[in-house]
Amino acid sequence: MDEPTGWWRGKSTPAKVETYTRWSFHFFAAIEIVTFGLPAFGNIPRGLSWTLFLLICGHAVLCAVTASRSLDWTRGTREQPRRMLFAVAAGTAAVAVTSLVLSGTDWRPATADEVRVAFTLFVGVTGCGTGTLALGTRDRRRMVSAVVGAALGAGLVSFPLGFPGPAALITAVAVLLTAGFFTFTAAFSVWLLNAVYELDAARETRARLAVAEERLRFGRDLHDVMGRNLAVIALKSELAVQLARRGLPQAVDQMTEVQRIARESQREVRAVVRGYREADLKAELAGAQGVLTAAGIDCTVTGAATVLPAPVQSALGWVVREATTNVLRHGDARYCAVSLRVAARRVTLTVENDGAPAVEPARTPPDRAARPAGGSGLVGLRERLAEVDGVLRTGASGGRFLLTAEVPLPPDPHEGPAPAGRPTDRPAADTGAAGGTEPGGRDCAPAAVRADAHRDEPDDDERGGAVDGDGGARGGAFGDGGDGGPRPGRTGRER
């Protein structure tokens, strides 16, 4: 992509609207010079035409600079340019009076060409000056007063210069319409710019509120899960201390109960976190279409998330969520196409948009797409997809960015799910017979199985003893012998 396009794409939507507004007012200055200054050549004497042209150029530049600083004042980055507003008002009055004198007076007759040029110049310069003054105020009454005052002033000044009544009235009406148009344009541009910034701030606020609400929900769930259990653990621990000081054997039973409640709390916390990390694919597809459409992006979604395993739906749901976020934040897309299809026992999700950045990122090699790494964003998606043996590919070409996620499905959909924490039944050649490695040295056990196995393993604090199905302690205060009878052992902390 060329550099100007990259410069434009690098701006946010409010920044683009602000740049467009600024250059629109600069373009008004160019229109003033071309429309009202150039006709002076060939219609009035040469010496006077150059003087008039330079006056118009100076007035146009003054209006452009004042408009730019007034926009800065509107955005709160600069003080109100009062002196420049007074300079615009004085310059507009000077050019207007000069054009009226040029149109002919009792002491200076004028030709028909001079009258036509002078009338156009008077009306145009007065309208541009009034519109520029409107940028320097936020009061609507002052804007209306400036327009009406310019029209009345044009009519009143016409009489001392010898204009007849109908001509003075026509001049006043023309100034009223022209000044009203430029003033309305200026006021509407400022209102639109402020509205865009406010909408952008509201969207960011809504996103922060959504994050805060989710944090509150997560904290509430943790409180509900841990509050009672921690209170019971504290109570039973205190009771065990008192029993131990008295030398009573019931202290061991109380600590065994504390151990059981602690493990139960750990399982409940893991369940809360697991539910917190899951994403519903169907809801994410509908939400992505709604959010992108609301942002002005034409979004189409094809395919349905039907009869897919829950882990696959969760992983692809996170892909849709992250891809939608990237389209909104890192590009200037006009359309986005999301496709979900199932073929050859594989689920393929593609997200394509035309908002690729100016610098095209390198295409991700397939062999590295499923390699997990620390981080967030696309790297985090690869971590989630790796848990279900999926791969993620990204690439940009011709101004379009394509994200593809592929996840294999289980070999037989009619088979029951494999027991948690145990690998699925596969031939020894595929799984390395006992969780081994392929000839290339890569662990060939499914990532989801490895994650489940790691998740089901007891932590270091748990290895001191596990709770059997009947609630008895194994390897804690008493170890479990080969015949099932109790034997003296050491606690996990002593080991």
Side-chain angles (χ1 to χ4, degrees):
M1 296 183 181
D2 53 357
E3 185 176 354
T5 303
W7 166 79
W8 178 257
R9 286 183 176 273
K11 290 180 173 291
S12 62
T13 299
K16 290 178 181 178
V17 175
E18 182 177 353
T19 302
Y20 170 78
T21 303
R22 290 181 181 276
W23 282 101
S24 296
F25 286 107
H26 296 336
F27 188 66
F28 285 163
I31 291 178
E32 181 181 356
I33 295 175
V34 174
T35 305
F36 309 132
L38 294 181
F41 296 98
N43 293 316
I44 58 177
R46 185 177 182 82
L48 186 59
S49 63
W50 275 105
T51 303
L52 194 61
F53 180 75
L54 293 178
L55 283 176
I56 296 173
C57 290
H59 181 267
V61 172
L62 181 61
C63 288
V65 175
T66 305
S68 179
R69 296 194 175 184
S70 296
L71 287 176
D72 292 338
W73 169 69
T74 301
R75 297 303 315 143
T77 59
R78 188 190 295 269
E79 295 183 356
Q80 186 178 14
R82 298 180 182 272
R83 294 183 179 180
M84 299 200 68
L85 292 174
F86 284 118
V88 170
T92 301
V95 177
V97 171
T98 302
S99 61
L100 286 178
V101 173
L102 180 64
S103 63
T105 60
D106 294 338
W107 64 87
R108 183 190 178 280
T111 63
D113 293 338
E114 290 179 346
V115 172
R116 184 177 66 254
V117 172
F119 178 79
T120 305
L121 176 62
F122 176 79
V123 174
V125 169
T126 305
C128 291
T130 307
T132 303
L133 293 176
L135 286 174
T137 179
R138 296 191 180 100
D139 193 352
R140 296 180 180 178
R141 290 180 296 180
R142 291 185 179 181
M143 296 181 186
V144 175
S145 300
V147 174
V148 175
L152 293 178
L156 294 176
V157 172
S158 301
F159 286 105
L161 297 178
F163 282 82
L169 180 61
I170 293 175
T171 302
V173 173
V175 170
L176 178 65
L177 296 177
T178 306
F181 170 76
F182 280 103
T183 301
F184 173 78
T185 302
F188 180 77
S189 299
V190 172
W191 173 84
L192 180 62
L193 181 60
N194 291 333
V196 170
Y197 271 104
E198 290 176 0
L199 288 175
D200 186 70
R203 183 173 62 179
E204 293 180 359
T205 302
R206 183 176 60 183
R208 289 195 297 268
L209 289 176
V211 173
E213 182 179 0
E214 187 65 15
R215 288 175 178 173
L216 289 175
R217 185 198 68 81
F218 187 64
R220 184 174 60 251
D221 292 345
L222 284 180
H223 177 270
D224 294 341
V225 169
M226 298 296 297
R228 184 189 66 85
N229 291 347
L230 290 178
V232 175
I233 288 175
L235 181 62
K236 287 187 173 293
S237 299
E238 183 178 359
L239 179 60
V241 170
Q242 297 296 331
L243 294 174
R245 288 177 178 176
R246 298 176 183 178
L248 298 178
Q250 288 84 352
V252 176
D253 297 334
Q254 295 297 327
M255 291 308 300
T256 301
E257 183 68 13
V258 168
Q259 192 177 48
R260 184 191 65 80
I261 297 175
R263 291 202 181 97
E264 181 181 354
S265 301
Q266 190 176 41
R267 287 193 297 270
E268 291 178 353
V269 170
R270 285 174 176 172
V272 171
V273 174
R274 189 180 302 113
Y276 178 75
R277 291 179 178 176
E278 289 179 353
D280 183 62
L281 179 57
K282 183 178 181 180
E284 293 298 334
L285 289 174
Q289 187 174 21
V291 170
L292 294 178
T293 302
I297 301 174
D298 184 15
C299 180
T300 58
V301 177
T302 58
T306 57
V307 297
L308 293 179
V312 176
Q313 288 203 33
S314 178
L316 294 181
W318 279 102
V319 173
V320 173
R321 182 180 299 182
E322 180 67 22
T324 303
T325 303
N326 291 339
V327 171
L328 291 174
R329 289 184 177 179
H330 307 306
D332 187 22
R334 291 182 295 273
Y335 86 93
C336 179
V338 183
S339 174
L340 180 69
R341 62 182 184 274
V342 180
R345 306 305 306 161
R346 296 186 70 86
V347 183
T348 303
L349 174 70
T350 59
V351 181
E352 182 180 7
N353 66 87
D354 61 346
V359 180
E360 296 183 358
R363 186 174 297 273
T364 305
D367 59 342
R368 296 181 58 188
R371 188 176 300 172
S376 59
L378 297 180
V379 178
L381 292 183
R382 294 189 177 96
E383 293 177 354
R384 295 182 184 275
L385 290 174
E387 295 181 359
V388 289
D389 290 343
V391 295
L392 180 72
R393 300 184 182 89
T394 60
S397 176
R400 300 190 180 189
F401 187 83
L402 178 63
L403 182 146
T404 304
E406 294 184 0
V407 179
L409 291 176
D412 187 1
H414 300 290
E415 285 185 1
R422 296 178 58 188
T424 55
D425 295 335
R426 291 187 182 180
D430 295 335
T431 61
T437 58
E438 292 178 343
R442 182 165 56 92
D443 189 357
C444 60
V449 174
R450 294 196 303 270
D452 290 340
H454 176 71
R455 183 170 60 248
D456 291 337
E457 290 179 358
D459 297 335
D460 293 338
D461 293 337
E462 295 180 6
R463 298 182 187 275
V467 179
D468 59 13
D470 297 331
R474 292 182 300 171
F478 294 97
D480 190 7
D483 55 354
R487 60 180 177 83
R490 293 179 299 171
T491 61
R493 185 177 301 276
E494 293 173 347
R495 284 202 301 256

